[in-house]
Amino acid sequence: MGEIRLEIPARAEYLALARQVVAAAAAVEPRFRTERIDALRLAVSEATTNAVESHADLGADERIVIRCDLDEERIEVEVLDQGGGFDPGGVPVVPSPTDPSRLDYEHGLGIPIIRELTDESEIRPSGAGTAVRLVVYRSAAAAARRGSEAVRAEPEER
Amino acid sequence: MHFALDVSAAPGADAVTIVAVTGELDMASAPRLRQELVSLASAGRTTIVIDLAGVDFLDSTGLGVVLGALKRVRAAGGDLALARTEPQVAKVFEITRLSDIMPLHDTIEAAIAAVVSD
């Protein structure tokens, strides 16, 4: 199946559009479970929010590119910004909910949410900015099956 | 994108303010909710129930606003509770474990009882 490419201004008003386009792309494959599409919608919102923020910090006026690549088992989304880089190691470690200082952390929740909701995620520098790659399988079972196939395939490659 | 806030006094509990939110709560809409909650706290309305029944999407920016409001009202001796989250919204609170700090109530009445009993 083909690739969809969406280009949006680095502004918060376009987040809803980014979520809508990616969710609609995933829904093209009828076997995608609703909760997987919800997970993808949230992960895309987090990645695109980070992209918008990184542009705002640097006053960059370049656009954010969102690429979706769908097949019958999985959807891969890449969010590319020109915001001047992002250090995943710089994400603060958020205290546990039982720690009273937890209330001081209003930010830093986006990356943990992405890691929790996607089957694969990767944040890497790309050109002048950052590329965030998100992969969600159509069901948890499909993700587990694909994972075990990868494990089985490994010895043959040696 | 449709986003609306409706602020009212709780029926039978005048000291409690209910903020009903409708739409998607993200980086575009969250500043409006933050501003409303800051205004309420400045006006001494620090016992608040946020009714999320009309919210079909919420991300970490929305979480940050709710968390900021909780901190603000507790510092002023008040409290804040959340009511009627849709399952996909409740999930965001659960995976970040913020539901441990802010229990999600099924009804407005339960949320009101939680903030007035403290």
Side-chain angles (χ1 to χ4, degrees):
Chain A
M1 220 168 280
E3 189 185 270
I4 293 168
R5 189 176 187 277
L6 171 70
E7 205 176 296
I8 57 167
R11 297 217 307 265
E13 301 92 285
Y14 289 89
L15 287 173
L17 177 67
R19 290 194 295 267
Q20 213 173 353
V21 167
V22 172
V28 165
E29 171 52 61
R31 293 193 302 166
F32 258 92
R33 301 274 298 273
T34 308
E35 72 263 22
R36 305 299 282 177
I37 295 178
D38 284 342
L40 179 71
R41 194 197 313 265
L42 184 52
V44 166
S45 198
E46 299 298 349
T48 311
T49 297
N50 285 346
V52 170
E53 277 179 347
S54 72
H55 278 242
D57 287 349
L58 291 140
D61 56 4
E62 288 88 355
R63 299 197 154 207
I64 294 167
V65 173
I66 296 159
R67 280 204 305 247
C68 311
D69 188 25
L70 178 76
D71 67 29
E72 57 186 22
E73 289 292 303
R74 74 207 261 281
I75 184 163
E76 178 176 307
V77 178
E78 209 166 25
V79 179
L80 300 137
D81 70 56
Q82 303 294 318
F86 170 79
D87 174 17
V91 174
V93 177
V94 177
S96 103
T98 51
D99 185 333
S101 68
R102 179 66 185 80
L103 285 177
D104 295 332
Y105 287 80
E106 290 172 36
H107 298 284
L109 294 165
I111 303 294
I113 288 175
I114 287 174
R115 294 204 170 121
E116 178 72 26
L117 291 177
T118 57
D119 296 308
E120 295 166 27
S121 66
E122 185 192 4
I123 300 167
R124 61 170 202 278
S126 168
T130 303
V132 178
R133 192 176 68 91
L134 313 166
V135 179
V136 172
Y137 284 84
R138 64 178 172 82
S139 67
R145 196 158 55 240
R146 187 58 64 96
S148 63
E149 275 170 17
V151 170
R152 275 203 304 277
E154 240 173 61
E156 294 168 13
E157 287 169 8
R158 280 182 194 146
Chain B
M1 183 177 69
H2 172 65
F3 184 77
L5 297 174
D6 181 59
V7 180
S8 61
D14 284 351
V16 181
T17 304
I18 297 179
V19 179
V21 188
T22 311
E24 298 187 330
L25 195 46
D26 66 2
M27 193 194 199
S29 56
R32 283 178 56 197
L33 178 61
R34 182 186 289 114
Q35 195 177 20
E36 186 62 51
L37 294 166
V38 167
S39 305
L40 285 171
S42 307
R45 308 287 303 181
T46 55
T47 307
I48 295 171
V49 168
I50 303 182
D51 179 4
L52 292 169
V55 173
D56 43 26
F57 178 85
L58 176 145
D59 67 13
S60 67
T61 312
L63 289 179
V65 170
V66 173
L67 204 54
L70 177 70
K71 190 166 64 173
R72 206 175 304 117
V73 297
R74 283 194 180 162
D79 204 2
L80 181 145
L82 303 173
R84 307 202 295 171
T85 42
E86 290 287 328
Q88 72 273 22
V89 171
K91 193 178 177 190
V92 187
F93 283 91
E94 282 152 15
I95 60 177
T96 53
R97 296 185 61 201
L98 289 180
S99 49
D100 294 4
I101 306 178
M102 283 181 288
L104 309 174
H105 301 279
D106 290 341
T107 63
I108 299 277
E109 291 73 20
I112 292 171
V115 288
V116 295
S117 67
D118 286 345

